[in-house]
């Protein structure tokens, strides 16, 4: 069965620093991959998605993610973090008509 | 810009009580979903409805029932609430089911079972 692993439960970065959130998936073929962000008390908002083609995808709010088939990874990156990026981030894989979410990575941004 | 609307936002129940969580979307989406979110476990699919008139079990359906009332509305019912059902419940919708369909989420219902 497909699964998603986000190895980092909590990450703290300084404002202005770069960010990389890790996501590894388990699936037999090329999956459909998503990153969502959840602010406190809110639902999930789609940041970006990968279906096929160019392995570097751009999303909203200055985020990007790179699909690496050889590593079964889909890591999320941002060159310069803003205080408003503090939130919880979820990686998800869509396969077999089902969507599986990782457990999430909580991002804290230090001033 | 309502999107997906869930009611209520908060609820406290006693063990054994029943409760229906309501969800409505105004995006003319065909597919709707109910998830529960528990600490350290991400979101887990309870039930989904691919289209009006159909419902299917997800990963954790036990203890829940759903009704797709019409294209807009998808409700989740707890017939006899248990403390293990304390969670945050999210409704979502998408244009269609399928691996490549991003989902749009409501703000959640925080449910506590005492």
């Amino acid at each position: 069965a497909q699964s998603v692993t986000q190895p980092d439960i909590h990450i703290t970065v300084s404002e202005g620093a770069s960010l990389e959130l890790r996501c590894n998936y388990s699936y037999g073929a090329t999956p459909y991959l998503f990153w969502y962000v959840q602010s406190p008390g809110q639902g999930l908002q789609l940041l970006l998605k990968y279906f096929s083609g160019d392995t570097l995808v751009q999303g909203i709010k200055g985020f990007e993610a790179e699909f690496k088939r050889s590593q079964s990874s889909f890591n999320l990156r941002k060159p310069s973090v803003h205080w408003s990026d503090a939130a919880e981030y979820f990686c998800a894989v869509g396969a077999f008509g089902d969507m599986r979410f990782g457990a999430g990575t909580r991002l804290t941004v230090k001033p | 810009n309502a999107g997906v609307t869930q009611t209520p936002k908060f609820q406290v129940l006693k063990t054994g009580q029943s409760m229906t969580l309501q969800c409505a979307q105004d995006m003319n989406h065909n597919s709707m979903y109910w998830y529960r979110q528990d600490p350290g476990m991400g979101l887990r699919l309870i039930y989904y409805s691919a289209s009006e008139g159909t419902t299917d079990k997800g990963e954790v359906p036990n203890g829940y029932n759903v009704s797709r009332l019409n294209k807009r509305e998808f409700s989740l019912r707890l017939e006899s609430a248990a403390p293990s059902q304390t969670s945050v419940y999210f409704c979502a919708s998408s244009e269609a089911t399928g691996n490549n369909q991003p989902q749009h989420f409501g703000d959640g219902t925080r449910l506590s079972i005492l």
Side-chain angles (χ1 to χ4, degrees):
Chain A
Q2 66 277 13
S3 65
V4 180
T5 302
Q6 293 180 246
D8 304 304
I9 296 172
H10 184 207
I11 284 182
T12 299
V13 300
S14 298
E15 191 168 15
S18 63
L19 171 70
E20 182 168 28
L21 301 181
R22 296 184 291 165
C23 173
N24 295 97
Y25 66 90
S26 173
Y27 180 54
T30 301
Y32 297 96
L33 295 160
F34 306 82
W35 274 101
Y36 287 86
V37 61
Q38 184 182 33
S39 298
Q42 305 275 315
L44 279 69
Q45 180 186 18
L46 181 69
L47 282 176
L48 49 78
K49 58 190 178 186
Y50 172 77
F51 295 158
S52 64
D54 193 347
T55 57
L56 185 64
V57 294
Q58 302 297 319
I60 62 172
K61 305 184 180 187
F63 285 92
E64 65 178 26
E66 186 171 13
F67 170 62
K68 292 186 177 180
R69 183 191 304 272
S70 61
Q71 298 177 18
S72 296
S73 68
F74 188 56
N75 294 349
L76 182 71
R77 301 194 294 247
K78 186 169 185 178
S80 178
V81 169
H82 188 262
W83 64 265
S84 61
D85 293 324
E88 187 143 21
Y89 292 80
F90 292 91
C91 183
V93 57
F96 298 119
D98 190 2
M99 187 171 290
R100 296 296 174 102
F101 289 81
T105 298
R106 184 161 61 92
L107 174 65
T108 297
V109 180
K110 293 191 302 184
Chain B
N1 57 340
V4 178
T5 303
Q6 293 183 233
T7 55
K9 295 189 184 304
F10 302 92
Q11 186 69 49
V12 179
L13 295 177
K14 295 181 179 178
T15 297
Q17 287 186 313
S18 61
M19 170 80 189
T20 299
L21 280 59
Q22 306 289 350
C23 174
Q25 52 92 8
D26 62 3
M27 295 172 283
N28 202 35
H29 284 170
N30 288 302
S31 303
M32 298 184 73
Y33 312 81
W34 275 105
Y35 291 90
R36 59 177 291 172
Q37 182 180 31
D38 301 293
M41 301 190 73
L43 277 74
R44 292 181 292 168
L45 183 65
I46 304 171
Y47 271 93
Y48 69 99
S49 171
S51 61
E52 186 178 354
T54 69
T55 60
D56 286 285
K57 294 179 180 179
E59 185 182 356
V60 289
N62 291 345
Y64 304 95
N65 286 300
V66 290
S67 295
R68 183 73 183 268
L69 304 170
N70 48 55
K71 190 171 186 178
R72 289 187 65 246
E73 298 173 288
F74 188 39
S75 63
L76 178 72
R77 184 162 177 83
L78 287 69
E79 289 290 352
S80 179
S84 61
Q85 295 177 304
T86 293
S87 187
V88 182
Y89 291 85
F90 287 97
C91 179
S93 71
S94 62
E95 288 187 20
T97 53
N99 306 336
N100 62 344
Q101 293 294 321
Q103 297 177 11
H104 301 259
F105 287 81
D107 288 341
T109 295
R110 283 143 188 83
L111 183 61
S112 293
I113 316 293
L114 305 178

